[in-house]
Amino acid sequence: MEYLHIISVLVIGYIFLFIMAKLLGKTQITQITPFDFISAIVLGELVGNALYDQETGIPEIFFAVAVWGILIYATEILTQKFKRARKLLEGEPSIVIKKGKIVYEELKKNHLDINQLQHLLRSKDVFSIRECEYAILETDGTVSAFKKPLYSTPTVQDLNLPINMIELPVTLILDGEVIWDNLKSINWDETKLINEINNNGANNVKDVLYAEWKKGEALHVQTY
């Protein structure tokens, strides 16, 4: 009965947490704030603690997860509709480098030291503070950096180069299987695909690890 209880809690908890993750959206992961981090931990603990509590059944787990999910969902709605609530619950970005100078007061306010700032800047390809004109500490703990003109990468406009249209590459074969929706989107059929991969040295689709199509270029094929 103990193993049956663990299995039932895990299966039902998995389903509930999956549903809640879908309802709460991608920001729980991609733009996680300290409050989001805590809420995600609590949501997992509600199910985790029930594993070894024989008195906690499926209805109790469902009720706890549902109530916590409703609270988090209500918080998301508040932050979307009310600017003041957004500032209170999610915080606001802080300018930690302004016109090439470190704003030490903002570092202290956000409990960030120079080494941590340098680490965050390196993740944005800024390896020296002297290269940075502005740096903004975002609410999820990352940094957005704007380099000084001397160190910034020149653009097409700066170099007066012709502007080419951007085309997204389309994956046609992945792990030996054809992605039929993608194949249809470029108006290819199976015969056309087979001919193209044969021209690239593959006998059939099963031999292809990855195949990518891009407009104006030859089909890129990599076999196993």
Side-chain angles (χ1 to χ4, degrees):
M1 291 300 294
E2 182 179 353
Y3 289 108
L4 182 61
H5 173 76
I6 292 176
I7 292 174
S8 62
V9 169
L10 284 176
V11 172
I12 300 300
Y14 171 83
I15 295 173
F16 289 164
L17 290 178
F18 180 80
I19 293 172
M20 292 310 305
K22 288 294 184 180
L23 291 176
L24 294 177
K26 298 179 181 179
T27 56
Q28 286 284 315
I29 300 298
T30 58
Q31 296 176 343
I32 190 167
T33 64
F35 182 78
D36 295 329
F37 178 72
I38 295 171
S39 68
I41 291 177
V42 172
L43 195 59
E45 284 293 314
L46 291 176
V47 176
N49 290 335
L51 285 175
Y52 306 103
D53 188 353
Q54 297 292 337
E55 296 181 359
T56 303
I58 301 303
E60 288 81 4
I61 298 174
F62 174 77
F63 180 76
V65 172
V67 171
W68 187 255
I70 290 171
L71 290 174
I72 301 303
Y73 186 75
T75 302
E76 294 293 332
I77 296 299
L78 283 174
T79 56
Q80 290 175 10
K81 293 187 176 296
F82 302 102
K83 187 176 180 180
R84 291 183 179 179
R86 189 184 312 162
K87 181 178 178 180
L88 175 65
L89 296 172
E90 294 184 352
E92 58 182 351
S94 301
I95 300 177
V96 291
I97 295 180
K98 184 176 182 179
K99 294 184 178 180
K101 301 293 184 181
I102 298 173
V103 185
Y104 186 65
E105 292 75 14
E106 291 295 330
L107 292 185
K108 291 175 59 179
K109 178 181 176 182
N110 290 280
H111 307 288
L112 191 71
D113 59 41
I114 301 295
N115 289 337
Q116 291 172 323
L117 177 61
Q118 289 176 316
H119 168 74
L120 293 171
L121 288 174
R122 285 194 294 269
S123 68
K124 299 298 182 180
D125 294 327
V126 180
F127 289 86
S128 173
I129 291 178
R130 75 178 69 184
E131 298 177 6
C132 187
E133 184 73 8
Y134 285 94
I136 300 174
L137 181 65
E138 306 292 355
T139 56
D140 60 354
T142 61
V143 159
S144 299
F146 190 81
K147 291 184 178 181
K148 293 180 179 178
L150 180 63
Y151 301 100
S152 61
T153 304
T155 64
V156 172
Q157 184 178 9
D158 294 332
L159 300 175
N160 293 321
L161 296 176
I163 298 176
N164 299 320
M165 296 298 294
I166 297 175
E167 296 287 347
L168 285 176
V170 179
T171 302
L172 299 182
I173 301 176
L174 193 62
D175 292 325
E177 294 185 2
V178 179
I179 304 177
W180 297 106
D181 290 340
N182 289 353
L183 190 68
K184 185 179 179 181
S185 70
I186 63 170
N187 298 319
W188 277 24
D189 56 18
E190 187 175 3
T191 303
K192 171 71 172 176
L193 178 63
I194 296 298
N195 291 335
E196 289 293 331
I197 64 174
N198 288 341
N199 293 335
N200 283 274
N203 294 325
N204 55 61
V205 172
K206 296 294 184 183
D207 297 332
V208 179
L209 173 66
Y210 180 76
E212 179 185 276
W213 173 90
K214 191 173 182 181
K215 188 174 182 179
E217 298 182 11
L219 184 69
H220 172 76
V221 177
Q222 180 177 339
T223 61
Y224 283 98

